[in-house]
Amino acid sequence: QTKLETMKKYLLYIILPLLIVNLSACGASKKKSRLGFTGKENAEQAFAKCVQLSTKKKFQESIDCLEIFKTRFPNTEYALQAELKVGDAYYLKKEYLLAAETYQFFTKLHPDSDKLDYAFFRIGMSYLKATSPKIDRDQEHLPKAIDSFAIVL
């Protein structure tokens, strides 16, 4: 892949959804939003509300909530966890390629994080799940899974 193609993917999968979420958040009233934010929560409370949505299997709402959380509380200890939780929600939603892209973006943004092993493991699992178990089907994601697992080991 060329750098231009990679940048287009990031724009399509990461930046564009962030802009959409931010624009929809701007239109929210001061009342409690559908994501559970009142604006009075601290970072810990807001993060817990977002994670709870995922626990209730409301994965898209959890993703939206976590994206808003990252813009409201960018410099908190929970912001880093929120980035990984977005990938986890995509994974649980069975959108494995989006999950892999989210985890890869995390590894590029936080190359010194102590959560890198987790991110690379989840990249491998995402690509493995995206690969068809049938040998006569396209196996294009399998080498990426193997490469990610090799980094962890």
Side-chain angles (χ1 to χ4, degrees):
Q1 280 183 335
T2 65
K3 286 186 178 184
L4 182 60
E5 289 172 337
T6 304
M7 292 300 288
K8 284 181 182 178
K9 275 188 184 176
Y10 284 132
L11 181 63
L12 182 63
Y13 292 119
I14 305 296
I15 305 301
L16 190 58
L18 285 175
L19 288 174
I20 292 170
V21 168
N22 284 336
L23 290 176
S24 66
C26 291
S29 67
K30 290 188 179 186
K31 294 180 181 177
K32 193 173 185 178
S33 72
R34 71 176 180 89
L35 299 176
F37 286 137
T38 61
K40 297 177 183 177
E41 297 91 356
N42 62 27
E44 183 179 2
Q45 294 166 331
F47 182 72
K49 286 183 179 184
C50 294
V51 171
Q52 185 179 28
L53 288 169
S54 190
T55 305
K56 293 180 177 180
K57 298 186 178 189
K58 296 180 179 181
F59 302 121
Q60 188 57 52
E61 288 180 35
S62 178
I63 291 166
D64 295 343
C65 183
L66 289 163
E67 294 293 355
I68 292 170
F69 174 86
K70 290 187 321 185
T71 60
R72 287 190 182 172
F73 303 99
N75 299 320
T76 64
E77 62 184 274
Y78 297 101
L80 198 69
Q81 292 177 42
E83 290 181 39
L84 290 172
K85 289 290 184 185
V86 169
D88 292 346
Y90 279 126
Y91 186 88
L92 292 170
K93 197 176 170 189
K94 298 184 180 183
E95 292 187 16
Y96 301 119
L97 295 179
L98 280 174
E101 290 289 328
T102 303
Y103 295 125
Q104 283 180 329
F105 194 63
F106 176 87
T107 64
K108 290 181 185 353
L109 285 178
H110 309 287
D112 298 327
S113 172
D114 62 340
K115 302 287 186 188
L116 276 183
D117 284 346
Y118 176 79
F120 280 114
F121 175 75
R122 294 299 278 195
I123 290 168
M125 288 302 298
S126 297
Y127 281 131
L128 190 61
K129 289 281 192 173
T131 302
S132 174
K134 297 179 181 174
I135 198 158
D136 63 336
R137 300 292 170 117
D138 188 6
Q139 302 288 311
E140 82 172 275
H141 302 297
L142 192 56
K144 295 176 189 174
I146 293 168
D147 291 344
S148 294
F149 289 137
I151 291 170
V152 176
L153 298 175

Coordinates of all heavy atoms in Angstrom, one line a residue, residues 29-101:
S29 N -28.6 18.9 23.3 CA -29.1 19.9 24.2 C -28.4 19.7 25.6 O -27.7 18.8 25.8 CB -30.6 19.7 24.4 OG -30.9 18.5 25.0
K30 N -28.7 20.6 26.5 CA -28.1 20.4 27.8 C -28.7 19.3 28.7 O -28.2 18.9 29.7 CB -28.2 21.8 28.6 CG -27.4 22.9 28.0 CD -27.4 24.1 28.8 CE -26.5 25.1 28.2 NZ -26.3 26.3 29.0
K31 N -29.8 18.8 28.2 CA -30.4 17.7 28.9 C -29.6 16.4 28.6 O -28.7 16.4 27.7 CB -31.9 17.4 28.3 CG -32.8 18.5 28.6 CD -34.2 18.2 28.1 CE -35.2 19.3 28.4 NZ -36.5 19.1 27.8
K32 N -29.9 15.4 29.3 CA -29.1 14.1 29.1 C -29.3 13.7 27.7 O -30.3 13.5 27.2 CB -29.7 13.1 30.1 CG -28.8 11.9 30.3 CD -29.4 11.1 31.4 CE -28.5 9.9 31.7 NZ -29.0 9.1 32.8
S33 N -28.1 13.4 27.1 CA -28.1 12.9 25.7 C -28.4 11.4 25.6 O -28.5 10.8 26.7 CB -26.7 13.2 25.0 OG -25.8 12.3 25.6
R34 N -28.6 10.9 24.5 CA -28.9 9.5 24.3 C -27.8 8.6 24.8 O -27.9 7.4 25.0 CB -29.4 9.1 22.9 CG -28.3 9.2 21.9 CD -28.7 8.8 20.5 NE -27.7 8.8 19.6 CZ -26.8 7.8 19.3 NH1 -27.0 6.7 20.0 NH2 -25.9 7.9 18.4
L35 N -26.6 9.2 24.9 CA -25.4 8.5 25.3 C -25.2 8.5 26.8 O -24.3 7.9 27.3 CB -24.2 9.0 24.6 CG -24.2 8.9 23.1 CD1 -23.0 9.5 22.5 CD2 -24.3 7.4 22.6
G36 N -26.1 9.3 27.5 CA -26.0 9.3 28.9 C -25.2 10.4 29.5 O -25.1 10.5 30.7
F37 N -24.6 11.3 28.7 CA -23.9 12.4 29.2 C -24.8 13.6 29.6 O -25.7 14.0 28.9 CB -22.9 13.0 28.2 CG -21.7 12.1 28.0 CD1 -21.2 11.9 26.7 CD2 -21.0 11.5 29.0 CE1 -20.1 11.1 26.5 CE2 -19.9 10.7 28.8 CZ -19.4 10.5 27.5
T38 N -24.6 14.1 30.8 CA -25.3 15.4 31.2 C -24.3 16.6 31.1 O -24.8 17.7 31.2 CB -25.8 15.2 32.6 OG1 -24.7 15.1 33.5 CG2 -26.8 14.1 32.8
G39 N -23.0 16.3 31.0 CA -22.0 17.3 31.0 C -21.5 17.6 32.4 O -20.6 18.4 32.6
K40 N -22.1 17.0 33.4 CA -21.7 17.2 34.8 C -20.8 16.1 35.3 O -20.3 16.2 36.4 CB -22.9 17.4 35.7 CG -23.8 18.5 35.4 CD -25.0 18.6 36.2 CE -25.9 19.8 35.8 NZ -27.1 19.8 36.6
E41 N -20.6 15.1 34.5 CA -19.8 13.9 34.9 C -18.3 14.3 34.9 O -17.8 15.1 34.1 CB -20.0 12.7 34.0 CG -21.4 12.2 34.0 CD -22.2 12.8 32.9 OE1 -21.8 13.7 32.2 OE2 -23.3 12.4 32.7
N42 N -17.5 13.6 35.8 CA -16.1 13.7 35.7 C -15.7 12.6 34.7 O -16.5 11.8 34.2 CB -15.4 13.6 37.1 CG -15.7 12.2 37.7 OD1 -15.9 11.2 37.1 ND2 -15.6 12.2 39.0
A43 N -14.4 12.5 34.4 CA -13.9 11.6 33.4 C -14.2 10.2 33.8 O -14.6 9.4 32.9 CB -12.4 11.8 33.2
E44 N -14.0 9.8 35.0 CA -14.2 8.4 35.5 C -15.7 8.0 35.3 O -16.0 6.9 34.8 CB -13.8 8.3 36.9 CG -14.0 6.9 37.5 CD -13.5 6.7 38.9 OE1 -13.2 7.7 39.5 OE2 -13.6 5.6 39.4
Q45 N -16.6 8.9 35.7 CA -18.0 8.6 35.5 C -18.4 8.5 34.1 O -19.2 7.6 33.7 CB -18.9 9.7 36.2 CG -18.7 9.7 37.7 CD -19.3 11.0 38.3 OE1 -19.3 12.1 37.7 NE2 -19.7 10.9 39.6
A46 N -17.9 9.4 33.2 CA -18.3 9.4 31.8 C -17.7 8.1 31.1 O -18.4 7.5 30.4 CB -17.7 10.7 31.1
F47 N -16.5 7.8 31.5 CA -15.9 6.6 30.9 C -16.7 5.3 31.3 O -17.0 4.5 30.5 CB -14.4 6.4 31.4 CG -13.7 5.3 30.8 CD1 -13.3 5.2 29.5 CD2 -13.4 4.2 31.6 CE1 -12.7 4.1 28.9 CE2 -12.8 3.1 31.1 CZ -12.4 3.1 29.7
A48 N -17.1 5.3 32.5 CA -17.9 4.1 33.0 C -19.2 4.0 32.3 O -19.7 2.9 32.0 CB -18.1 4.2 34.5
K49 N -19.8 5.1 32.0 CA -21.1 5.1 31.2 C -20.9 4.6 29.8 O -21.7 3.8 29.3 CB -21.7 6.5 31.2 CG -22.3 6.9 32.5 CD -23.0 8.3 32.4 CE -23.6 8.7 33.7 NZ -24.3 9.9 33.6
C50 N -19.8 5.0 29.2 CA -19.5 4.5 27.8 C -19.2 3.0 27.8 O -19.7 2.2 27.0 CB -18.3 5.2 27.3 SG -18.6 7.0 27.0
V51 N -18.4 2.5 28.8 CA -18.1 1.1 28.9 C -19.4 0.3 29.2 O -19.5 -0.8 28.7 CB -17.0 0.9 29.9 CG1 -16.8 -0.6 30.2 CG2 -15.7 1.5 29.5
Q52 N -20.2 0.8 30.0 CA -21.5 0.1 30.4 C -22.3 -0.1 29.1 O -23.0 -1.2 29.0 CB -22.2 0.9 31.4 CG -23.5 0.2 31.9 CD -24.2 1.0 33.0 OE1 -24.1 2.3 33.0 NE2 -24.9 0.3 33.9
L53 N -22.3 0.8 28.2 CA -23.1 0.6 26.9 C -22.6 -0.7 26.2 O -23.4 -1.4 25.7 CB -23.0 1.8 26.0 CG -23.7 3.0 26.5 CD1 -23.3 4.3 25.7 CD2 -25.2 2.8 26.4
S54 N -21.3 -0.8 26.2 CA -20.7 -2.0 25.5 C -21.1 -3.3 26.3 O -21.4 -4.3 25.7 CB -19.2 -1.9 25.4 OG -18.6 -2.9 24.6
T55 N -21.1 -3.2 27.6 CA -21.5 -4.3 28.4 C -22.9 -4.8 28.1 O -23.2 -5.9 28.2 CB -21.3 -4.0 29.9 OG1 -20.0 -3.5 30.2 CG2 -21.6 -5.2 30.8
K56 N -23.7 -3.8 27.8 CA -25.1 -4.0 27.5 C -25.3 -4.4 26.0 O -26.4 -4.5 25.5 CB -26.0 -2.8 27.8 CG -26.1 -2.5 29.2 CD -27.0 -1.3 29.5 CE -27.2 -1.0 30.9 NZ -28.0 0.2 31.1
K57 N -24.2 -4.6 25.3 CA -24.2 -5.0 23.9 C -24.7 -3.9 23.0 O -25.2 -4.2 21.9 CB -24.9 -6.3 23.7 CG -24.2 -7.5 24.4 CD -24.8 -8.8 24.0 CE -24.0 -9.9 24.8 NZ -24.3 -11.2 24.4
K58 N -24.6 -2.7 23.4 CA -25.0 -1.5 22.6 C -23.7 -1.0 22.0 O -23.2 0.1 22.4 CB -25.7 -0.5 23.4 CG -27.0 -1.0 23.9 CD -27.7 0.1 24.7 CE -29.1 -0.4 25.3 NZ -29.8 0.6 26.0
F59 N -23.1 -1.8 21.1 CA -21.7 -1.5 20.7 C -21.6 -0.2 19.9 O -20.6 0.6 20.1 CB -21.2 -2.7 19.8 CG -21.2 -4.0 20.6 CD1 -21.9 -5.0 20.1 CD2 -20.5 -4.1 21.8 CE1 -21.9 -6.2 20.8 CE2 -20.5 -5.3 22.5 CZ -21.2 -6.4 22.0
Q60 N -22.5 0.1 19.0 CA -22.4 1.4 18.2 C -22.5 2.6 19.2 O -21.8 3.6 19.0 CB -23.4 1.4 17.1 CG -23.1 2.6 16.1 CD -21.7 2.6 15.6 OE1 -21.2 1.6 15.0 NE2 -21.0 3.8 15.7
E61 N -23.5 2.5 20.1 CA -23.6 3.6 21.0 C -22.4 3.7 21.9 O -22.0 4.8 22.2 CB -24.9 3.3 21.9 CG -26.2 3.5 21.2 CD -27.4 3.3 22.1 OE1 -27.3 3.6 23.3 OE2 -28.4 2.8 21.6
S62 N -21.8 2.6 22.3 CA -20.6 2.7 23.0 C -19.4 3.3 22.3 O -18.7 4.2 22.8 CB -20.1 1.2 23.5 OG -18.9 1.3 24.2
I63 N -19.3 3.0 21.0 CA -18.3 3.6 20.1 C -18.5 5.1 20.0 O -17.6 5.9 20.2 CB -18.3 3.0 18.7 CG1 -17.8 1.5 18.8 CG2 -17.5 3.8 17.7 CD1 -18.1 0.7 17.6
D64 N -19.8 5.5 19.8 CA -20.1 6.9 19.7 C -19.8 7.6 21.0 O -19.2 8.7 21.0 CB -21.6 7.1 19.4 CG -21.9 6.6 18.0 OD1 -21.0 6.4 17.1 OD2 -23.1 6.4 17.7
C65 N -20.1 7.0 22.1 CA -19.9 7.6 23.4 C -18.4 7.7 23.7 O -18.0 8.8 24.2 CB -20.5 6.6 24.5 SG -20.4 7.2 26.2
L66 N -17.6 6.7 23.4 CA -16.2 6.8 23.6 C -15.5 7.8 22.7 O -14.6 8.5 23.2 CB -15.6 5.4 23.4 CG -15.9 4.4 24.4 CD1 -15.6 3.0 23.9 CD2 -15.1 4.6 25.7
E67 N -16.0 8.0 21.5 CA -15.4 9.0 20.6 C -15.7 10.4 21.2 O -14.9 11.3 21.2 CB -16.0 8.9 19.2 CG -15.6 7.7 18.5 CD -14.1 7.6 18.1 OE1 -13.3 8.5 18.4 OE2 -13.7 6.5 17.6
I68 N -16.9 10.6 21.7 CA -17.2 11.9 22.4 C -16.4 12.1 23.6 O -15.9 13.1 23.9 CB -18.8 12.0 22.7 CG1 -19.5 12.1 21.4 CG2 -19.1 13.2 23.6 CD1 -21.0 11.9 21.5
F69 N -16.3 11.0 24.4 CA -15.5 11.0 25.6 C -14.1 11.5 25.3 O -13.5 12.3 26.0 CB -15.5 9.6 26.3 CG -14.5 9.6 27.4 CD1 -15.0 9.9 28.7 CD2 -13.2 9.1 27.3 CE1 -14.1 9.9 29.8 CE2 -12.4 9.1 28.3 CZ -12.8 9.5 29.6
K70 N -13.5 10.9 24.2 CA -12.1 11.3 23.9 C -11.9 12.8 23.6 O -10.9 13.4 23.8 CB -11.6 10.5 22.7 CG -11.4 9.0 23.1 CD -10.7 8.2 22.0 CE -11.1 8.4 20.6 NZ -10.5 7.5 19.6
T71 N -13.0 13.4 23.0 CA -12.9 14.8 22.7 C -13.1 15.7 24.0 O -12.6 16.8 24.1 CB -13.9 15.3 21.6 OG1 -15.2 15.0 22.1 CG2 -13.6 14.5 20.3
R72 N -13.9 15.2 24.9 CA -14.2 15.9 26.1 C -13.2 15.8 27.2 O -12.9 16.7 28.0 CB -15.6 15.5 26.7 CG -16.8 16.0 26.0 CD -18.0 15.7 26.7 NE -19.2 16.1 25.9 CZ -20.4 15.9 26.3 NH1 -20.7 15.3 27.4 NH2 -21.4 16.3 25.5
F73 N -12.5 14.6 27.2 CA -11.5 14.4 28.3 C -10.2 13.9 27.6 O -9.7 12.8 27.9 CB -12.0 13.3 29.2 CG -13.3 13.7 29.9 CD1 -14.5 13.2 29.5 CD2 -13.3 14.6 31.0 CE1 -15.7 13.6 30.1 CE2 -14.5 14.9 31.7 CZ -15.7 14.4 31.2
P74 N -9.6 14.7 26.7 CA -8.4 14.1 25.9 C -7.2 13.9 26.8 O -6.4 13.0 26.4 CB -8.2 15.2 24.9 CG -8.7 16.5 25.6 CD -9.9 16.0 26.4
N75 N -7.0 14.6 27.8 CA -5.7 14.5 28.6 C -5.9 13.8 29.9 O -5.2 14.1 30.9 CB -5.1 15.8 28.8 CG -4.8 16.5 27.5 OD1 -4.3 15.9 26.6 ND2 -5.1 17.8 27.4
T76 N -6.8 12.8 30.0 CA -7.0 12.0 31.2 C -6.5 10.6 31.0 O -6.2 10.2 29.9 CB -8.5 11.9 31.5 OG1 -9.2 11.2 30.5 CG2 -9.2 13.3 31.6
E77 N -6.3 10.0 32.2 CA -5.8 8.6 32.1 C -6.8 7.7 31.4 O -6.4 6.6 30.9 CB -5.6 8.1 33.5 CG -6.9 8.0 34.4 CD -6.7 7.6 35.8 OE1 -6.7 6.4 36.1 OE2 -6.5 8.5 36.6
Y78 N -8.0 8.1 31.3 CA -9.1 7.2 30.6 C -9.1 7.4 29.1 O -9.6 6.6 28.4 CB -10.4 7.6 31.2 CG -10.6 7.2 32.7 CD1 -10.5 8.3 33.6 CD2 -10.7 5.9 33.1 CE1 -10.6 8.0 35.0 CE2 -10.8 5.6 34.5 CZ -10.7 6.7 35.4 OH -10.8 6.4 36.7
A79 N -8.5 8.5 28.6 CA -8.5 8.7 27.2 C -7.8 7.6 26.4 O -8.3 7.1 25.4 CB -7.9 10.1 26.8
L80 N -6.7 7.1 26.9 CA -5.9 6.1 26.3 C -6.7 4.8 26.3 O -6.8 4.1 25.3 CB -4.6 5.9 27.1 CG -3.5 5.1 26.4 CD1 -3.0 5.9 25.2 CD2 -2.4 4.8 27.4
Q81 N -7.4 4.5 27.4 CA -8.2 3.3 27.6 C -9.4 3.4 26.6 O -9.8 2.4 26.0 CB -8.7 3.1 29.0 CG -7.7 2.8 30.0 CD -8.3 2.7 31.4 OE1 -9.3 2.2 31.6 NE2 -7.5 3.3 32.4
A82 N -9.9 4.6 26.4 CA -11.1 4.8 25.5 C -10.7 4.4 24.1 O -11.6 3.8 23.4 CB -11.6 6.2 25.6
E83 N -9.5 4.7 23.7 CA -9.1 4.4 22.3 C -9.1 2.9 22.1 O -9.6 2.4 21.1 CB -7.7 4.9 22.0 CG -7.7 6.4 21.9 CD -6.3 7.0 21.6 OE1 -5.6 6.4 20.8 OE2 -6.0 8.1 22.2
L84 N -8.6 2.1 23.1 CA -8.6 0.7 23.0 C -10.1 0.1 23.1 O -10.4 -0.9 22.4 CB -7.8 0.1 24.1 CG -6.3 0.3 23.9 CD1 -5.5 -0.2 25.2 CD2 -5.7 -0.4 22.7
K85 N -10.9 0.7 23.9 CA -12.3 0.3 24.1 C -13.1 0.5 22.8 O -14.0 -0.3 22.5 CB -13.0 1.0 25.2 CG -12.5 0.6 26.6 CD -12.9 -0.8 26.9 CE -12.5 -1.2 28.3 NZ -12.8 -2.6 28.6
V86 N -12.7 1.5 22.0 CA -13.4 1.6 20.7 C -13.0 0.4 19.8 O -13.9 -0.2 19.2 CB -12.9 2.9 20.0 CG1 -13.4 3.0 18.5 CG2 -13.4 4.1 20.7
G87 N -11.8 0.0 19.8 CA -11.4 -1.2 19.0 C -12.1 -2.4 19.6 O -12.6 -3.3 18.8
D88 N -12.2 -2.5 20.9 CA -12.9 -3.7 21.5 C -14.3 -3.7 21.1 O -14.9 -4.8 20.8 CB -12.8 -3.6 23.0 CG -11.4 -3.8 23.6 OD1 -10.5 -4.3 22.8 OD2 -11.2 -3.5 24.8
A89 N -15.0 -2.6 21.0 CA -16.4 -2.5 20.7 C -16.6 -2.9 19.2 O -17.5 -3.7 18.9 CB -17.0 -1.1 20.9
Y90 N -15.7 -2.5 18.3 CA -15.7 -2.9 16.9 C -15.6 -4.4 16.8 O -16.2 -5.1 16.1 CB -14.7 -2.2 16.0 CG -15.1 -0.9 15.6 CD1 -14.2 0.2 15.8 CD2 -16.3 -0.6 14.9 CE1 -14.6 1.5 15.4 CE2 -16.6 0.6 14.4 CZ -15.8 1.7 14.7 OH -16.1 2.9 14.2
Y91 N -14.6 -5.0 17.6 CA -14.3 -6.4 17.6 C -15.6 -7.2 18.1 O -16.0 -8.1 17.5 CB -13.2 -6.7 18.6 CG -12.7 -8.1 18.5 CD1 -11.8 -8.6 17.6 CD2 -13.2 -9.0 19.4 CE1 -11.4 -9.9 17.6 CE2 -12.8 -10.4 19.4 CZ -11.9 -10.8 18.5 OH -11.5 -12.1 18.5
L92 N -16.2 -6.7 19.2 CA -17.4 -7.4 19.7 C -18.6 -7.3 18.7 O -19.4 -8.1 18.7 CB -17.7 -6.8 21.1 CG -16.8 -7.2 22.2 CD1 -17.1 -6.4 23.4 CD2 -16.8 -8.7 22.5
K93 N -18.6 -6.2 18.0 CA -19.6 -6.0 17.0 C -19.3 -6.8 15.7 O -20.1 -6.8 14.8 CB -19.6 -4.5 16.6 CG -20.8 -4.0 15.9 CD -20.7 -2.5 15.7 CE -21.8 -2.0 14.8 NZ -21.6 -0.6 14.4
K94 N -18.2 -7.5 15.7 CA -17.8 -8.4 14.6 C -17.4 -7.6 13.4 O -17.5 -8.1 12.3 CB -18.8 -9.5 14.3 CG -19.0 -10.4 15.5 CD -19.9 -11.5 15.2 CE -20.1 -12.4 16.4 NZ -20.9 -13.5 16.2
E95 N -17.0 -6.4 13.6 CA -16.4 -5.5 12.5 C -14.9 -5.6 12.7 O -14.3 -4.7 13.1 CB -17.0 -4.1 12.6 CG -18.4 -4.1 12.3 CD -19.0 -2.6 12.2 OE1 -18.2 -1.7 12.0 OE2 -20.2 -2.5 12.2
Y96 N -14.3 -6.8 12.3 CA -13.0 -7.1 12.6 C -11.9 -6.2 11.9 O -10.9 -5.8 12.5 CB -12.7 -8.5 12.3 CG -13.6 -9.5 13.1 CD1 -14.5 -10.3 12.5 CD2 -13.6 -9.4 14.5 CE1 -15.3 -11.2 13.2 CE2 -14.4 -10.3 15.2 CZ -15.3 -11.1 14.6 OH -16.1 -11.9 15.3
L97 N -12.2 -5.8 10.7 CA -11.3 -4.9 10.0 C -11.2 -3.5 10.6 O -10.2 -2.9 10.7 CB -11.6 -4.9 8.5 CG -11.4 -6.3 7.8 CD1 -11.7 -6.1 6.3 CD2 -10.0 -6.8 8.0
L98 N -12.4 -3.0 11.0 CA -12.4 -1.7 11.6 C -11.7 -1.8 13.0 O -11.0 -0.9 13.4 CB -13.8 -1.2 11.8 CG -14.5 -0.6 10.6 CD1 -16.0 -0.3 10.9 CD2 -13.8 0.6 10.2
A99 N -11.9 -2.9 13.7 CA -11.2 -3.1 15.0 C -9.7 -3.1 14.7 O -8.9 -2.4 15.5 CB -11.6 -4.4 15.6
A100 N -9.2 -3.9 13.7 CA -7.8 -3.9 13.5 C -7.2 -2.5 13.1 O -6.2 -2.2 13.6 CB -7.5 -4.9 12.3
E101 N -8.0 -1.8 12.3 CA -7.5 -0.4 12.0 C -7.4 0.5 13.2 O -6.5 1.3 13.4 CB -8.4 0.2 10.9 CG -8.4 -0.4 9.6 CD -7.1 -0.1 8.8 OE1 -6.5 1.0 9.1 OE2 -6.6 -0.9 8.1

